[in-house]
mmCIF file of all heavy atoms in Angstrom:
data_model
loop_
_atom_site.group_PDB
_atom_site.id
_atom_site.type_symbol
_atom_site.label_atom_id
_atom_site.label_comp_id
_atom_site.label_asym_id
_atom_site.label_seq_id
_atom_site.Cartn_x
_atom_site.Cartn_y
_atom_site.Cartn_z
ATOM 1 N N ALA A 1 0.855 -1.128 0.019
ATOM 2 C CA ALA A 1 -0.029 0.061 -0.010
ATOM 3 C C ALA A 1 0.908 1.236 -0.075
ATOM 4 O O ALA A 1 1.696 1.408 -0.962
ATOM 5 C CB ALA A 1 -0.909 -0.103 1.191
ATOM 6 N N ASN A 2 0.811 2.089 1.057
ATOM 7 C CA ASN A 2 1.560 3.325 0.988
ATOM 8 C C ASN A 2 2.355 3.661 2.327
ATOM 9 O O ASN A 2 2.676 4.883 2.540
ATOM 10 C CB ASN A 2 0.530 4.480 0.719
ATOM 11 C CG ASN A 2 -0.224 4.226 -0.596
ATOM 12 O OD1 ASN A 2 -1.343 3.830 -0.584
ATOM 13 N ND2 ASN A 2 0.488 4.442 -1.729
ATOM 14 N N HIS A 3 2.639 2.691 3.089
ATOM 15 C CA HIS A 3 3.545 2.882 4.240
ATOM 16 C C HIS A 3 4.641 1.832 4.093
ATOM 17 O O HIS A 3 4.423 0.749 3.737
ATOM 18 C CB HIS A 3 2.873 2.782 5.592
ATOM 19 C CG HIS A 3 2.292 1.384 5.875
ATOM 20 N ND1 HIS A 3 1.208 0.825 5.301
ATOM 21 C CD2 HIS A 3 2.779 0.420 6.703
ATOM 22 C CE1 HIS A 3 0.961 -0.354 5.730
ATOM 23 N NE2 HIS A 3 1.917 -0.656 6.563
ATOM 24 N N LEU A 4 5.884 2.282 4.393
ATOM 25 C CA LEU A 4 7.087 1.449 4.318
ATOM 26 C C LEU A 4 7.070 0.370 5.470
ATOM 27 O O LEU A 4 6.737 0.692 6.510
ATOM 28 C CB LEU A 4 8.305 2.356 4.393
ATOM 29 C CG LEU A 4 8.297 3.501 3.400
ATOM 30 C CD1 LEU A 4 9.399 4.551 3.765
ATOM 31 C CD2 LEU A 4 8.545 3.046 1.960
ATOM 32 N N ILE A 5 7.574 -0.790 5.147
ATOM 33 C CA ILE A 5 7.493 -1.921 6.113
ATOM 34 C C ILE A 5 8.793 -2.450 6.522
ATOM 35 O O ILE A 5 8.933 -3.312 7.445
ATOM 36 C CB ILE A 5 6.540 -3.021 5.599
ATOM 37 C CG1 ILE A 5 7.123 -3.605 4.304
ATOM 38 C CG2 ILE A 5 5.143 -2.560 5.393
ATOM 39 C CD1 ILE A 5 6.307 -4.811 3.750
ATOM 40 N N SER A 6 9.965 -1.990 5.927
ATOM 41 C CA SER A 6 11.185 -2.436 6.276
ATOM 42 C C SER A 6 11.637 -1.818 7.633
ATOM 43 O O SER A 6 11.189 -0.716 8.031
ATOM 44 C CB SER A 6 12.268 -2.057 5.214
ATOM 45 O OG SER A 6 11.942 -2.698 3.999
ATOM 46 N N SER A 7 12.613 -2.389 8.396
ATOM 47 C CA SER A 7 13.038 -2.009 9.655
ATOM 48 C C SER A 7 13.640 -0.591 9.585
ATOM 49 O O SER A 7 13.727 0.116 10.621
ATOM 50 C CB SER A 7 13.910 -3.011 10.316
ATOM 51 O OG SER A 7 15.107 -3.210 9.466
ATOM 52 N N GLN A 8 14.197 -0.260 8.441
ATOM 53 C CA GLN A 8 14.853 1.057 8.288
ATOM 54 C C GLN A 8 13.911 2.195 8.621
ATOM 55 O O GLN A 8 14.320 3.175 9.138
ATOM 56 C CB GLN A 8 15.202 1.215 6.773
ATOM 57 C CG GLN A 8 15.598 2.588 6.320
ATOM 58 C CD GLN A 8 17.049 2.986 6.838
ATOM 59 O OE1 GLN A 8 17.884 2.115 6.817
ATOM 60 N NE2 GLN A 8 17.157 4.157 7.341
ATOM 61 N N TRP A 9 12.608 2.015 8.574
ATOM 62 C CA TRP A 9 11.597 3.113 8.771
ATOM 63 C C TRP A 9 10.904 2.922 10.019
ATOM 64 O O TRP A 9 9.825 3.519 10.203
ATOM 65 C CB TRP A 9 10.697 3.194 7.587
ATOM 66 C CG TRP A 9 11.313 2.881 6.306
ATOM 67 C CD1 TRP A 9 11.302 1.700 5.625
ATOM 68 C CD2 TRP A 9 12.121 3.773 5.529
ATOM 69 N NE1 TRP A 9 11.998 1.768 4.416
ATOM 70 C CE2 TRP A 9 12.581 3.077 4.371
ATOM 71 C CE3 TRP A 9 12.641 5.092 5.719
ATOM 72 C CZ2 TRP A 9 13.354 3.578 3.325
ATOM 73 C CZ3 TRP A 9 13.492 5.623 4.720
ATOM 74 C CH2 TRP A 9 13.839 4.905 3.573
ATOM 75 N N ALA A 10 11.281 2.046 10.945
ATOM 76 C CA ALA A 10 10.550 1.665 12.083
ATOM 77 C C ALA A 10 10.204 2.910 12.971
ATOM 78 O O ALA A 10 9.134 2.924 13.652
ATOM 79 C CB ALA A 10 11.333 0.563 12.948
ATOM 80 N N HIS A 11 11.031 3.819 13.076
ATOM 81 C CA HIS A 11 10.911 5.015 13.886
ATOM 82 C C HIS A 11 10.705 6.247 13.092
ATOM 83 O O HIS A 11 10.967 7.398 13.689
ATOM 84 C CB HIS A 11 12.079 5.078 14.887
ATOM 85 C CG HIS A 11 12.375 3.863 15.750
ATOM 86 N ND1 HIS A 11 11.502 3.493 16.684
ATOM 87 C CD2 HIS A 11 13.382 2.978 15.696
ATOM 88 C CE1 HIS A 11 11.882 2.366 17.243
ATOM 89 N NE2 HIS A 11 13.155 1.982 16.612
ATOM 90 N N ASP A 12 10.383 6.147 11.896
ATOM 91 C CA ASP A 12 10.172 7.339 11.030
ATOM 92 C C ASP A 12 8.759 7.972 11.242
ATOM 93 O O ASP A 12 7.775 7.288 11.104
ATOM 94 C CB ASP A 12 10.372 6.925 9.541
ATOM 95 C CG ASP A 12 10.327 8.046 8.670
ATOM 96 O OD1 ASP A 12 9.155 8.599 8.370
ATOM 97 O OD2 ASP A 12 11.404 8.458 8.169
ATOM 98 N N GLU A 13 8.751 9.180 11.672
ATOM 99 C CA GLU A 13 7.467 9.787 12.124
ATOM 100 C C GLU A 13 6.450 9.963 10.922
ATOM 101 O O GLU A 13 5.282 9.680 11.032
ATOM 102 C CB GLU A 13 7.729 11.173 12.736
ATOM 103 C CG GLU A 13 8.434 11.127 14.080
ATOM 104 C CD GLU A 13 8.510 12.506 14.683
ATOM 105 O OE1 GLU A 13 7.999 13.451 14.077
ATOM 106 O OE2 GLU A 13 9.178 12.548 15.716
ATOM 107 N N THR A 14 6.966 10.319 9.716
ATOM 108 C CA THR A 14 6.101 10.383 8.527
ATOM 109 C C THR A 14 5.471 9.103 8.219
ATOM 110 O O THR A 14 4.294 8.946 7.942
ATOM 111 C CB THR A 14 6.847 11.052 7.388
ATOM 112 O OG1 THR A 14 7.294 12.295 7.735
ATOM 113 C CG2 THR A 14 5.926 11.251 6.190
ATOM 114 N N ASN A 15 6.332 8.086 8.184
ATOM 115 C CA ASN A 15 5.791 6.752 7.817
ATOM 116 C C ASN A 15 4.828 6.217 8.851
ATOM 117 O O ASN A 15 3.866 5.596 8.527
ATOM 118 C CB ASN A 15 7.012 5.823 7.777
ATOM 119 C CG ASN A 15 6.542 4.421 7.179
ATOM 120 O OD1 ASN A 15 6.030 4.330 6.157
ATOM 121 N ND2 ASN A 15 6.918 3.384 7.967
ATOM 122 N N THR A 16 5.069 6.518 10.179
ATOM 123 C CA THR A 16 4.174 6.103 11.244
ATOM 124 C C THR A 16 2.800 6.852 11.020
ATOM 125 O O THR A 16 1.743 6.188 11.248
ATOM 126 C CB THR A 16 4.761 6.482 12.533
ATOM 127 O OG1 THR A 16 6.030 5.736 12.730
ATOM 128 C CG2 THR A 16 3.858 6.086 13.702
ATOM 129 N N PHE A 17 2.881 8.078 10.639
ATOM 130 C CA PHE A 17 1.653 8.791 10.377
ATOM 131 C C PHE A 17 0.805 8.080 9.287
ATOM 132 O O PHE A 17 -0.376 7.926 9.386
ATOM 133 C CB PHE A 17 1.963 10.257 10.007
ATOM 134 C CG PHE A 17 0.797 10.978 9.420
ATOM 135 C CD1 PHE A 17 -0.218 11.506 10.294
ATOM 136 C CD2 PHE A 17 0.715 11.229 8.120
ATOM 137 C CE1 PHE A 17 -1.297 12.195 9.725
ATOM 138 C CE2 PHE A 17 -0.450 11.950 7.565
ATOM 139 C CZ PHE A 17 -1.366 12.427 8.359
ATOM 140 N N ARG A 18 1.480 7.782 8.196
ATOM 141 C CA ARG A 18 0.790 7.134 7.113
ATOM 142 C C ARG A 18 0.156 5.827 7.518
ATOM 143 O O ARG A 18 -0.920 5.412 7.143
ATOM 144 C CB ARG A 18 1.755 6.857 5.909
ATOM 145 C CG ARG A 18 2.001 8.075 5.038
ATOM 146 C CD ARG A 18 2.901 7.795 3.840
ATOM 147 N NE ARG A 18 2.928 8.989 2.992
ATOM 148 C CZ ARG A 18 2.423 8.957 1.814
ATOM 149 N NH1 ARG A 18 1.719 7.971 1.357
ATOM 150 N NH2 ARG A 18 2.516 10.065 1.069
ATOM 151 N N SER A 19 0.897 4.989 8.321
ATOM 152 C CA SER A 19 0.410 3.767 8.849
ATOM 153 C C SER A 19 -0.649 3.860 9.845
ATOM 154 O O SER A 19 -1.690 3.118 9.727
ATOM 155 C CB SER A 19 1.607 2.955 9.423
ATOM 156 O OG SER A 19 1.162 1.672 9.987
ATOM 157 N N ASN A 20 -0.556 4.705 10.809
ATOM 158 C CA ASN A 20 -1.504 4.820 11.910
ATOM 159 C C ASN A 20 -2.703 5.724 11.648
ATOM 160 O O ASN A 20 -3.760 5.461 12.218
ATOM 161 C CB ASN A 20 -0.789 5.276 13.263
ATOM 162 C CG ASN A 20 0.275 4.275 13.658
ATOM 163 O OD1 ASN A 20 0.310 3.181 13.189
ATOM 164 N ND2 ASN A 20 1.070 4.704 14.608
ATOM 165 N N GLU A 21 -2.527 6.737 10.897
ATOM 166 C CA GLU A 21 -3.556 7.850 10.736
ATOM 167 C C GLU A 21 -4.254 7.684 9.374
ATOM 168 O O GLU A 21 -5.451 8.250 9.305
ATOM 169 C CB GLU A 21 -2.929 9.185 10.914
ATOM 170 C CG GLU A 21 -2.220 9.381 12.273
ATOM 171 C CD GLU A 21 -3.139 9.175 13.485
ATOM 172 O OE1 GLU A 21 -4.319 9.580 13.339
ATOM 173 O OE2 GLU A 21 -2.665 8.770 14.454
ATOM 174 N N LEU A 22 -3.673 7.188 8.322
ATOM 175 C CA LEU A 22 -4.295 7.088 7.121
ATOM 176 C C LEU A 22 -4.808 5.743 6.784
ATOM 177 O O LEU A 22 -4.880 4.913 7.741
ATOM 178 C CB LEU A 22 -3.251 7.549 6.013
ATOM 179 C CG LEU A 22 -2.761 8.995 6.210
ATOM 180 C CD1 LEU A 22 -1.904 9.442 4.986
ATOM 181 C CD2 LEU A 22 -3.921 9.981 6.364
ATOM 182 N N THR A 23 -5.092 5.382 5.604
ATOM 183 C CA THR A 23 -5.778 4.075 5.306
ATOM 184 C C THR A 23 -4.819 3.053 4.852
ATOM 185 O O THR A 23 -5.234 1.906 4.531
ATOM 186 C CB THR A 23 -6.840 4.290 4.240
ATOM 187 O OG1 THR A 23 -6.182 4.682 2.987
ATOM 188 C CG2 THR A 23 -7.804 5.339 4.566
ATOM 189 N N SER A 24 -3.559 3.330 4.739
ATOM 190 C CA SER A 24 -2.644 2.359 4.131
ATOM 191 C C SER A 24 -2.590 1.025 4.836
ATOM 192 O O SER A 24 -2.589 -0.027 4.219
ATOM 193 C CB SER A 24 -1.170 3.031 4.067
ATOM 194 O OG SER A 24 -0.246 2.147 3.514
ATOM 195 N N ALA A 25 -2.421 1.070 6.112
ATOM 196 C CA ALA A 25 -2.287 -0.256 6.874
ATOM 197 C C ALA A 25 -3.530 -1.033 6.678
ATOM 198 O O ALA A 25 -3.497 -2.290 6.601
ATOM 199 C CB ALA A 25 -2.014 0.047 8.352
ATOM 200 N N VAL A 26 -4.741 -0.461 6.674
ATOM 201 C CA VAL A 26 -6.003 -1.201 6.581
ATOM 202 C C VAL A 26 -6.001 -1.847 5.137
ATOM 203 O O VAL A 26 -6.375 -3.075 5.009
ATOM 204 C CB VAL A 26 -7.188 -0.222 6.721
ATOM 205 C CG1 VAL A 26 -8.491 -0.994 6.483
ATOM 206 C CG2 VAL A 26 -7.214 0.348 8.174
ATOM 207 N N ARG A 27 -5.686 -1.081 4.114
ATOM 208 C CA ARG A 27 -5.687 -1.673 2.780
ATOM 209 C C ARG A 27 -4.678 -2.805 2.598
ATOM 210 O O ARG A 27 -4.933 -3.774 1.917
ATOM 211 C CB ARG A 27 -5.437 -0.596 1.677
ATOM 212 C CG ARG A 27 -6.625 0.346 1.475
ATOM 213 C CD ARG A 27 -6.317 1.374 0.428
ATOM 214 N NE ARG A 27 -5.544 2.519 0.936
ATOM 215 C CZ ARG A 27 -4.259 2.688 0.503
ATOM 216 N NH1 ARG A 27 -3.745 1.934 -0.495
ATOM 217 N NH2 ARG A 27 -3.611 3.729 0.977
#
């Protein structure tokens, strides 16, 4: 979808926003 899933981005705030606040993780 639209959030990065590699460990490189585990603590990235923008990526966390996409995963937690938008629809990417659900899709």
Side-chain angles (χ1 to χ4, degrees):
N2 303 104
H3 67 286
L4 306 164
I5 59 176
S6 299
S7 59
Q8 170 72 41
W9 323 101
H11 304 292
D12 186 282
E13 291 184 3
T14 301
N15 188 54
T16 300
F17 167 76
R18 280 183 173 248
S19 177
N20 294 348
E21 303 298 329
L22 303 182
T23 64
S24 180
V26 175
R27 285 183 285 111

